[in-house]
């Protein structure tokens, strides 16, 4: 009573929560209801499919039980029987477990399929009722261990049973049970396709699966041909024995003599010495009235008396040969069963071979579809370049880019794949692909995860071949590039300044196009994109992530963290544009310092020279008279004063003339201001005063 109440409580619980299977641990396993869309059911269906194929391979091995020799008798291979019985019993346990799972697996209510809800029916009674009305009897017939019961229990209990009876009964049971086991695979394949979308995960696995199905058909056909050959030979022995079963022939034949269990009987030995059973049933003798037809090869090649391995591979080859050639090389007799068997081989070979070739072609084409698509695009590109008569250098660069893009992507459109995914899944994939690469950039390493996720979400892949100009100096900057692989040369001439050239090499982890970040951070930025201050050219093949202008503008407007002073200083430190301006500023200050120092040194040298001249004049004056000395001093002072006045007037006139000349030149040449060496302008930066740190 308590067990019934517990079962009712569990069933009512699952009926009230048809989609909830999270409380299985609290329920015993024999009361659990499985979700048909769960991972366990999907894995079990795929495992059971392989078990079904193995079981279909094991059943035809029963046909190799009978063995014949040169004593005109038939016996059973006991060792093979034990092995096949054990293997088939293990396979039957899988079939039994599959039936139990079907009693405990929910199904989708047919009424809810119309509205797209697909509610699950979890009541055990309804599940059992539905299963009993649909596939129960087919599964039961496929699960019953009928061959084992017949071989080891039924036939030994029957009196006067012979090997021929065992062979006929066993062949009939195996054929009867082989049909439901074969048809059990088709709904199983449909369920696998419905849950996972495909049976084989790779093209090679799909090709091997179809090839294995074709080899299984050859295995079944070869085993059927072998057992039919044994039965055909036994029929010849039986006819000969019936002819010798009379009073004129002494000793007379007994049907039990065709069983190898009677080899030691004296009557059987006496009959075999005088019997013509071997000569009348010799497949090599064409004069015999009995026709072996398509089964003659089993005796002319001594297949029936060979070891099991040799026998099996010969029969497999026979089935594969005739199935591939549609039975065209078969030489049949007028025996009706043989003719029908040959017709079945022809039809089955035609259907299976067409199915194999079609599926193999589909699977193999799936592996080469992108290669063929790339080849067609390459052909179209070549025709277009020839039609437009592009120079050979441009054609070579186009070919190099197409080849590099194929090697990098293998023809897969990553952006299309990402666009088809949900937003959260796309964000996680972009984070996995780009986060480590973005963090390698020192500037972005100081940002928080939320801002980095927003940047990673908008990064797109960019491929460039060798000697490609990503952007030229003065062109508008459309994207910011983060290098993953390769090297890039970034150079500037400071707007075409004569004699100025600055060049650096960017490697993985560096970035270019920082003018775009300055433009995006400005609160009153116009729609016009900023001009590039550097020329960026690839040195090798470069793979990078690009952040477009509109995406960067969106990130800058949504996340105020980008406007902090800390990031501003980090940007100035790692920006190559600011580094070049800083280097130029330091060089200009150093030149001014050197020029000022040189002027002071020249002035000191001039003062020392004037002092030395005055000392020499004083020595000459001491040697003259006192009167002459006084007169000379007066005259000298007057002359020095006049020379000083004249020199000052000359210098003033010279400066005035120089200014007039420069004014005249400036009037005549309006661009004369460019003759001066201009200063390198400081890079523009946004106004951070309106934002808080």
């Amino acid at each position: 009573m308590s067990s019934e109440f517990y079962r009712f409580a569990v069933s009512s619980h699952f009926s009230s929560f048809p989609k909830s299977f999270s409380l299985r641990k609290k329920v015993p396993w024999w009361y659990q209801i499985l979700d048909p869309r769960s991972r366990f059911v999907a894995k079990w269906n795929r495992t059971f499919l392989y078990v079904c194929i193995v079981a279909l391979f094991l059943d035809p091995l029963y046909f190799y039980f009978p063995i014949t020799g040169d004593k005109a008798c038939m016996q059973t291979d006991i060792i093979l029987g034990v092995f096949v019985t054990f293997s088939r019993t293990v396979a039957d346990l899988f079939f039994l477990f599959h039936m139990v799972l079907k009693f405990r697996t929910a199904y989708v209510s047919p009424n809810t399929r119309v509205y797209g809800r697909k509610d699950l029916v979890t009541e055990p009674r309804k599940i059992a009722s539905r299963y009993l009305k649909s596939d129960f009897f087919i599964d039961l017939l496929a699960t019953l261990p009928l061959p084992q019961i017949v071989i080891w229990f039924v036939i030994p209990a029957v009196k006067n049973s012979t090997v021929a009876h065992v062979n006929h009964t066993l062949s009939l049971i195996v054929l009867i049970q082989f049909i439901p086991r074969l048809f059990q695979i088709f709904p199983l394949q449909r369920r696998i396709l419905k849950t996972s979308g495909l049976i084989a995960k790779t093209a090679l696995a799909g090709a091997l699966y179809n090839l294995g199905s074709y080899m299984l058909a050859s295995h079944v056909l070869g085993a059927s041909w072998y057992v039919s050959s044994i039965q055909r030979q036994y029929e010849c022995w039986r006819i000969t024995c019936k002819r010798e079963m009379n009073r004129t022939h002494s000793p007379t034949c007994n049907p039990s003599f065709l069983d190898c269990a009677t080899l030691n009987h004296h009557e059987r030995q006496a009959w075999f010495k005088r019997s013509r059973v071997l000569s009348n049933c010799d497949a090599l003798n064409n004069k015999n009235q009995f026709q072996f037809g398509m089964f003659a090869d089993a005796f002319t090649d001594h297949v029936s008396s060979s070891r099991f391995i040799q026998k099996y591979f010969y029969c497999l080859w026979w089935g594969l040969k005739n199935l591939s050639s549609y039975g065209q090389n078969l030489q049949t007799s007028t025996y009706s069963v043989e003719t029908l068997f040959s017709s079945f081989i022809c039809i089955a070979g035609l259907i299976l071979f067409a199915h194999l070739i079609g599926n193999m072609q589909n699977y193999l084409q799936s592996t080469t579809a992108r290669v063929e698509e790339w080849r067609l695009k390459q052909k179209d590109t070549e025709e277009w370049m020839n039609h437009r008569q592009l120079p050979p250098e441009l054609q070579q660069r186009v070919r190099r880019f197409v080849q590099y893009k194929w090697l990098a992507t293998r023809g897969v459109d990553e952006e299309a794949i990402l666009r088809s995914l949900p937003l959260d899944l796309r964000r996680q994939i972009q984070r996995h692909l780009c986060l480590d690469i973005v963090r390698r950039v020192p500037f972005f390493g100081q940002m928080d995860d939320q801002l980095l996720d927003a940047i990673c979400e908008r990064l797109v892949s960019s491929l460039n071949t060798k000697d490609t100009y990503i952007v030229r100096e003065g062109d508008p900057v459309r994207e910011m590039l983060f290098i993953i692989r390769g090297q890039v040369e970034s150079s500037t001439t400071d707007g075409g300044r004569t004699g100025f050239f600055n060049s650096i090499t960017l490697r993985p982890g560096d970035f270019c196009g920082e003018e775009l970040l300055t433009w995006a951070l400005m609160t009153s930025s116009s729609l016009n994109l900023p001009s590039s201050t550097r020329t960026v050219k690839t040195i090798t093949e470069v793979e990078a992530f690009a952040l477009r202008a509109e995406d960067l503008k969106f990130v800058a407007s949504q996340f105020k963290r980008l406007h902090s002073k800390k990031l501003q200083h980090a940007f100035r430190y790692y920006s190559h544009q600011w580094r070049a301006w800083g280097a130029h500023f330091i060089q200009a200050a150093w030149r001014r310092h050197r020029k000022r120092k040189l002027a002071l040194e020249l002035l000191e040298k001039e003062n020392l020279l004037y002092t030395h001249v005055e000392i020499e004049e004083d020595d000459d004056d001491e040697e003259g008279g006192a009167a002459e000395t006084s007169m000379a001093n007066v005259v000298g002072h007057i002359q020095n004063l006049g020379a000083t006045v004249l020199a000052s007037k000359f210098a003033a006139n010279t400066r005035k003339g120089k200014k007039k000349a420069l004014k005249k030149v400036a009037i005549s040449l309006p661009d004369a201001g460019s003759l001066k060496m201009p200063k390198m302008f400081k890079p523009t930066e946004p106004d951070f005063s309106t934002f808080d740190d």
Side-chain angles (χ1 to χ4, degrees):
M1 183 68 181
S2 60
S3 62
E4 293 179 359
F5 176 78
Y6 184 76
R7 184 180 303 174
F8 174 76
V10 171
S11 62
S12 63
H13 165 75
F14 279 109
S15 62
S16 60
F17 298 97
K19 293 185 179 180
S20 177
F21 296 90
S22 61
L23 301 178
R24 291 179 185 171
K25 294 183 180 180
K26 300 181 181 180
V27 181
W29 65 269
W30 53 85
Y31 289 146
Q32 291 180 8
I33 302 298
L34 300 176
D35 187 355
R37 297 164 296 189
S38 63
R39 182 177 300 178
F40 171 76
V41 176
K43 288 184 177 180
W44 169 253
N45 289 334
R46 191 175 296 275
T47 303
F48 186 66
L49 176 63
Y50 299 146
V51 172
C52 290
I53 295 175
V54 174
L56 292 178
F57 173 81
L58 289 175
D59 286 349
L61 294 179
Y62 283 108
F63 294 160
Y64 293 98
F65 275 16
I67 302 174
T68 61
D70 54 355
K71 299 295 183 179
C73 65
M74 185 185 300
Q75 61 181 353
T76 304
D77 191 349
I78 302 298
I79 298 177
L80 179 62
V82 172
F83 171 75
V84 176
T85 300
F86 175 77
S87 302
R88 197 182 191 277
T89 304
V90 175
D92 291 341
L93 294 178
F94 280 90
F95 279 86
L96 180 62
F97 185 70
H98 183 67
M99 291 184 63
V100 174
L101 285 183
K102 279 193 172 183
F103 277 107
R104 311 305 299 174
T105 303
Y107 65 93
V108 179
S109 177
N111 298 329
T112 60
R113 293 179 180 177
V114 180
Y115 303 101
R117 292 181 299 172
K118 295 184 179 182
D119 295 336
L120 294 177
V121 178
T122 58
E123 296 183 8
R125 290 184 179 180
K126 292 184 179 180
I127 295 173
S129 176
R130 179 176 179 271
Y131 180 49
L132 290 174
K133 293 178 182 179
S134 56
D135 301 332
F136 174 75
F137 293 101
I138 296 178
D139 294 344
L140 181 63
L141 184 59
T143 305
L144 291 176
L146 297 179
Q148 297 96 307
I149 296 174
V150 170
I151 292 176
W152 303 104
F153 298 100
V154 176
I155 293 179
V158 176
K159 295 182 179 180
N160 300 325
S161 63
T162 61
V163 179
H165 295 156
V166 175
N167 186 26
H168 296 161
T169 306
L170 188 60
S171 301
L172 181 61
I173 291 175
V174 170
L175 286 176
I176 291 175
Q177 202 172 22
F178 188 84
I179 295 174
R181 290 200 170 194
L182 178 63
F183 281 96
Q184 201 174 21
I185 293 180
F186 299 112
L188 189 61
Q189 287 181 344
R190 287 195 296 268
R191 285 196 294 270
I192 294 175
L193 290 174
K194 186 180 295 184
T195 55
S196 62
L198 70 168
I199 296 178
K201 296 183 179 180
T202 61
L204 180 60
L208 293 177
Y209 177 78
N210 286 275
L211 183 60
S213 302
Y214 192 77
M215 295 299 295
L216 178 62
S218 303
H219 162 67
V220 174
L221 187 62
S224 303
W225 171 78
Y226 174 78
V227 72
S228 301
S229 303
I230 297 298
Q231 292 178 357
R232 189 63 175 161
Q233 189 179 43
Y234 184 81
E235 182 68 18
C236 180
W237 291 345
R238 190 185 63 80
I239 293 174
T240 304
C241 181
K242 187 177 181 180
R243 291 176 182 175
E244 297 178 354
M245 193 186 305
N246 49 37
R247 297 178 181 177
T248 58
H249 189 278
S250 180
T252 184
C253 180
N254 191 348
S256 62
F257 292 168
L258 301 179
D259 194 339
C260 291
T262 62
L263 283 177
N264 297 328
H265 294 180
H266 297 288
E267 296 179 357
R268 205 270 181 192
Q269 293 176 357
W271 166 79
F272 184 72
K273 290 179 180 179
R274 300 185 58 183
S275 175
R276 302 181 60 183
V277 64
L278 293 180
S279 60
N280 293 339
C281 297
D282 188 5
L284 297 175
N285 190 0
N286 296 327
K287 296 180 180 180
N288 293 333
Q289 296 180 358
F290 191 87
Q291 298 178 359
F292 287 92
M294 60 183 294
F295 306 112
D297 294 340
F299 310 108
T300 57
D301 297 334
H302 304 285
V303 178
S304 59
S305 59
S306 302
R307 292 184 299 175
F308 170 72
I309 299 297
Q310 299 174 353
K311 184 191 309 181
Y312 171 75
F313 282 109
Y314 183 90
C315 295
L316 179 64
W317 170 81
W318 189 93
L320 184 61
K321 178 186 69 173
N322 290 281
L323 200 63
S324 302
S325 61
Y326 315 135
Q328 296 179 0
N329 298 325
L330 294 177
Q331 296 179 359
T332 60
S333 62
T334 57
Y335 185 46
S336 58
V337 177
E338 184 179 350
T339 306
L340 292 176
F341 186 58
S342 301
S343 302
F344 174 77
I345 291 175
C346 182
I347 297 174
L350 181 62
I351 296 174
L352 292 176
F353 193 75
H355 182 266
L356 173 67
I357 295 300
N359 289 330
M360 291 284 285
Q361 184 178 5
N362 292 334
Y363 279 108
L364 293 177
Q365 281 182 351
S366 64
T367 59
T368 59
R370 298 197 179 276
V371 179
E372 184 67 20
E373 182 181 358
W374 172 73
R375 190 186 64 82
L376 292 177
K377 288 184 179 180
Q378 193 176 21
K379 182 180 179 181
D380 295 341
T381 305
E382 292 288 341
E383 292 180 356
W384 174 79
M385 290 190 298
N386 293 331
H387 176 69
R388 295 299 181 183
Q389 297 181 358
L390 296 183
E393 296 180 357
L394 287 180
Q395 292 186 11
Q396 187 63 28
R397 291 182 60 185
V398 171
R399 295 189 192 100
R400 215 164 40 185
F401 174 77
V402 173
Q403 180 71 20
Y404 178 66
K405 186 177 181 180
W406 165 256
L407 294 176
T409 62
R410 290 294 176 182
V412 179
D413 190 359
E414 296 181 358
E415 294 185 9
I417 295 176
L418 290 174
R419 283 196 301 268
S420 63
L421 297 177
L423 179 61
D424 181 65
L425 185 58
R426 184 166 64 245
R427 184 182 293 113
Q428 292 181 7
I429 293 175
Q430 287 288 95
R431 178 184 177 90
H432 170 72
L433 294 177
C434 309
L435 185 61
D436 293 338
I437 298 171
V438 172
R439 278 180 174 172
R440 279 192 291 175
V441 180
F443 172 63
F444 290 108
Q446 303 181 17
M447 298 181 181
D448 54 4
D449 292 339
Q450 186 179 7
L451 183 56
L452 290 178
D453 289 340
I455 294 176
C456 292
E457 186 179 352
R458 289 161 177 82
L459 289 178
V460 295
S461 179
S462 177
L463 301 174
N464 296 278
T465 56
K466 183 180 178 181
D467 297 333
T468 300
Y469 285 93
I470 298 176
V471 64
R472 297 177 186 269
E473 189 174 356
D475 294 344
V477 183
R478 303 181 184 276
E479 59 186 14
M480 197 172 179
L481 215 62
F482 304 95
I483 302 172
I484 304 174
R485 298 184 188 90
Q487 295 181 358
V488 175
E489 180 187 7
S490 177
S491 59
T492 180
T493 59
D494 192 18
R497 173 179 165 183
T498 305
F500 182 88
F501 182 78
N502 175 261
S503 177
I504 56 174
T505 301
L506 305 181
R507 293 178 173 83
D510 294 333
F511 62 95
C512 61
E514 57 269 23
E515 301 90 351
L516 200 62
L517 183 59
T518 302
W519 169 81
L521 292 176
M522 295 178 66
T523 56
S524 59
S525 59
S526 60
L527 296 177
N528 297 326
L529 296 175
S531 299
S532 176
T533 59
R534 307 185 72 87
T535 298
V536 182
K537 179 182 178 182
T538 59
I539 302 176
T540 61
E541 281 76 12
V542 174
E543 184 176 355
F545 281 116
L547 186 62
R548 298 189 179 98
E550 56 273 13
D551 296 330
L552 185 58
K553 187 67 176 178
F554 174 79
V555 173
S557 61
Q558 294 293 324
F559 296 91
K560 303 303 182 182
R561 178 78 174 84
L562 272 176
H563 301 273
S564 65
K565 292 290 184 180
K566 183 178 180 181
L567 289 182
Q568 177 189 1
H569 296 319
F571 171 71
R572 290 177 180 177
Y573 180 77
Y574 292 109
S575 173
H576 296 288
Q577 183 185 5
W578 278 83
R579 286 184 177 184
W581 176 82
H584 184 269
F585 185 84
I586 293 173
Q587 290 175 0
W590 175 253
R591 292 192 185 99
R592 288 195 298 270
H593 171 70
R594 292 289 298 173
K595 186 177 180 181
R596 193 181 304 112
K597 184 177 180 181
L598 182 60
L600 292 176
E601 291 178 355
L602 291 176
L603 182 60
E604 290 178 358
K605 291 180 179 180
E606 289 179 358
N607 292 335
L608 291 175
L609 181 61
Y610 291 151
T611 304
H612 180 68
V613 171
E614 290 177 357
I615 292 174
E616 290 182 352
E617 290 177 354
D618 292 339
D619 293 337
D620 293 337
D621 291 340
E622 290 177 357
E623 295 177 356
E628 293 179 0
T629 302
S630 60
M631 289 299 294
N633 289 333
V634 174
V635 174
H637 285 298
I638 293 172
Q639 290 178 353
N640 289 336
L641 180 61
T644 303
V645 173
L646 292 175
S648 62
K649 290 183 179 181
F650 178 76
N653 293 332
T654 303
R655 285 196 297 270
K656 291 180 181 179
K658 183 177 181 180
K659 288 182 180 180
K660 291 181 180 180
L662 289 176
K663 289 181 180 180
K664 292 180 181 180
V665 172
I667 293 173
S668 61
L669 296 175
D671 296 334
S674 61
L675 295 176
K676 294 183 179 180
M677 299 299 288
K679 296 181 180 179
M680 186 175 184
F681 293 103
K682 180 180 179 181
T684 58
E685 59 181 355
D687 184 11
F688 292 91
S689 59
T690 57
F691 300 98
D692 296 332
D693 190 2

